[in-house]
Amino acid sequence: MNDIPAILGGTPVLSEMAGIVKPSISDYTTPELMDRIEGILKSNMVTNGVTVKELEAAMADYLGVDHLVAVSSCTLGLTLAIAAAGLQGKKMIVPSFTIAATANAAYWNRCEIIFADLDLDTYNMSLDHLEELLVDDDVAAIMPVHVFGNPVHVAEIEALAVKHGATVVYDAAQGFGADYHEKRLGNNGLFEVFSGSPTKHFTSAEGGFVATNDEKLAETVKLARNYGVLPNYDCVIPGLNARMPEINAAIGLAILPGTDEFTTNRNRYAKMYQNGLAAVPGITFQKITPGSYSSYNYLGLMVEPTEFGMTNRDLEAALKAENIATKVYYHPPVHQQTAYVEIVGRQTLPNTEYLADRIICLPLYNHMDSGMLESICAAVRRIHANSDDVKKSLAAKLASV
Ligand SMILES: Cc1ncc(COP(=O)(O)O)c(C=O)c1O
């Protein structure tokens, strides 16, 4: 490998494009899984069947939680669980540094959304800003996100919630297999909801999982995922169709036993990235909350342009030329997205905007070749070492469009 970045004419460090995520579905497409899927199809019981129940029991056992309800997506899991918690129409504090789905679940419950700023170390909800927002005693709920799988400061958030009479519910979409104080996520607040979408390290191809120790909430979500109708066809709560198909449950059951290996690997790869880029100025990694174990659904880092020599967007373009896909998650943050400027109005969240302007996520998989990981680090190093020329080249390309 030479020192010339691909964007300046060097040979790309990777011969084929490396995606930002690599779902493990194909690795687990075994004859056993195919047999199970064939059995489901031949039984004609393709939804609401025994496979979903088996997955729910296995996941509850893995998390050490009393109840786990499988649904068709995390977005619908959050939507139904917020309703089941009686939070419809109430004031809810949510982060802005997340996917819009977090706020959308609150919106569909007619909640009044209040965006909280973040902490620049962990990328999670800022405790200081949360405390300021809770001065409004009408706030009924707080919905933190474990950003990239990094557990939030659960104890501090829940203490603030108790003080102000608010309920805490969690968007744990990315945190399956992560721990807070040696306890799996899924056990905090009134409920936590995980995602099984294909971008997640544990996936059921699509799906959502409501974890709770509250029996009534679990029963209400179970009812609501099936239109809210009783067996006698009386609709007792206006629910949705949020059922998980049996085939998705079969995929989830096949992949579930790999979860600990995935999170162990991802933590190891994160360390390797940190070591490989330690000497590069202007790069700082997401800090894991003390006493926590991250699932590292994404590997996020901040690029400080004045020290690194270019912006995160320039780095993204230069890495693309090296056959390395990256994601600028999350830009724009939700409070600056069109729908929410209309719904909530324009506002400023300084740390969220600062991070959104600097964040970049590098490829991170359940199983990753260490040579590939080292090549990605080498690419970042050589792009930084040639930052003036890379910037000129990008500016020239832009001018020629
Ligand atoms: C933080 C967060 N919340 C919610 C979701 C929505 O999950 P789903 O696609 O399963 O509805 C995602 C999915 O990417 C997410 O990352």
Side-chain angles (χ1 to χ4, degrees):
M1 191 191 302
N2 63 33
D3 291 338
I4 305 170
I7 199 149
L8 299 178
T11 308
V13 294
L14 299 179
S15 54
E16 278 175 30
M17 186 55 99
I20 175 79
V21 294
K22 189 163 176 255
S24 285
I25 299 169
S26 56
D27 297 343
Y28 285 82
T29 307
T30 58
E32 292 76 33
L33 174 59
M34 296 317 290
D35 279 352
R36 188 157 202 165
I37 289 175
E38 194 181 347
I40 290 167
L41 296 177
K42 285 189 171 160
S43 76
N44 282 326
M45 290 292 296
V46 292
T47 194
N48 258 357
V50 291
T51 324
V52 168
K53 284 200 180 70
E54 190 180 332
L55 178 62
E56 288 176 335
M59 289 181 73
D61 188 48
Y62 175 81
L63 297 173
V65 72
D66 289 347
H67 307 279
L68 186 126
V69 185
V71 287
S72 52
S73 71
C74 175
T75 310
L76 284 186
L78 288 167
T79 304
L80 295 180
I82 291 169
L87 295 171
Q88 288 184 320
K90 305 268 173 69
K91 284 190 185 174
M92 181 182 283
I93 298 176
V94 301
S96 168
F97 192 74
T98 176
I99 184 173
T102 312
N104 292 352
Y107 173 82
W108 280 95
N109 279 296
R110 307 183 309 277
C111 291
E112 187 181 322
I113 294 166
I114 303 167
F115 286 114
D117 207 352
L118 57 76
D119 164 51
L120 282 170
D121 286 337
T122 61
Y123 306 173
N124 285 330
M125 195 179 267
S126 153
L127 294 175
D128 290 340
H129 195 217
L130 178 60
E131 194 163 13
E132 269 175 46
L133 293 173
L134 282 167
V135 169
D136 177 349
D137 273 333
D138 285 345
V139 170
I142 308 163
M143 183 160 65
V145 174
H146 306 292
V147 174
F148 302 157
N150 181 25
V152 298
H153 283 92
V154 171
E156 290 84 348
I157 289 175
E158 295 196 1
L160 282 172
V162 168
K163 191 169 152 197
H164 293 273
T167 301
V168 190
V169 302
Y170 294 90
D171 177 342
Q174 305 173 349
F176 194 69
D179 294 343
Y180 175 78
H181 290 186
E182 292 176 8
K183 211 169 185 189
R184 290 253 153 80
L185 295 189
N187 287 280
N188 304 302
L190 181 58
F191 62 76
E192 303 204 57
V193 186
F194 301 97
S195 169
S197 80
T199 58
K200 306 299 177 290
H201 47 288
F202 161 71
T203 175
S204 49
E206 286 287 0
F209 306 98
V210 180
T212 181
N213 289 312
D214 186 299
E215 188 178 357
K216 187 160 173 275
L217 186 116
E219 288 310 315
T220 310
V221 173
K222 266 189 200 164
L223 187 60
R225 75 178 166 185
N226 197 30
Y227 318 117
V229 293
L230 296 174
N232 67 2
Y233 261 89
D234 184 25
C235 177
V236 287
I237 43 170
L240 298 167
N241 175 355
R243 297 184 298 260
M244 168 171 278
E246 288 280 282
I247 291 175
N248 291 83
I251 295 168
L253 273 168
I255 297 179
L256 181 64
T259 306
D260 285 346
E261 186 192 337
F262 303 160
T263 58
T264 304
N265 287 349
R266 298 174 91 89
N267 275 270
R268 188 158 49 85
Y269 303 146
K271 258 269 156 312
M272 287 163 69
Y273 269 123
Q274 285 160 11
N275 292 338
L277 298 176
V280 183
I283 284 189
T284 50
F285 287 85
Q286 181 187 29
K287 291 196 181 58
I288 303 309
T289 304
S292 294
Y293 174 74
S294 177
S295 56
Y296 270 111
N297 190 227
Y298 288 108
L299 191 276
L301 55 90
M302 239 197 291
V303 177
E304 194 55 61
T306 47
E307 293 167 42
F308 182 72
M310 69 185 77
T311 65
N312 56 344
R313 292 289 185 188
D314 293 338
L315 177 59
E316 178 185 36
L319 284 173
K320 193 166 170 211
E322 305 279 2
N323 282 329
I324 300 163
T326 58
K327 276 277 181 199
V328 176
Y329 280 146
Y330 296 100
H331 189 283
V334 184
H335 74 283
Q336 292 183 327
Q337 294 181 21
T338 307
Y340 286 96
V341 170
E342 273 178 32
I343 294 164
V344 179
R346 262 183 212 289
Q347 67 177 119
T348 305
L349 297 172
N351 287 356
T352 301
E353 289 159 33
Y354 187 91
L355 178 60
D357 284 343
R358 287 162 180 77
I359 188 76
I360 193 162
C361 295
L362 299 181
L364 189 65
Y365 312 151
N366 289 336
H367 297 103
M368 204 163 174
D369 179 63
S370 55
M372 174 198 264
L373 198 153
E374 180 40 45
S375 295
I376 297 171
C377 291
V380 174
R381 291 194 298 262
R382 76 183 189 181
I383 290 165
H384 160 70
N386 292 277
S387 57
D388 284 347
D389 290 339
V390 169
K391 260 195 321 204
K392 272 186 217 143
S393 159
L394 286 169
K397 280 199 173 82
L398 204 64
S400 69
V401 175

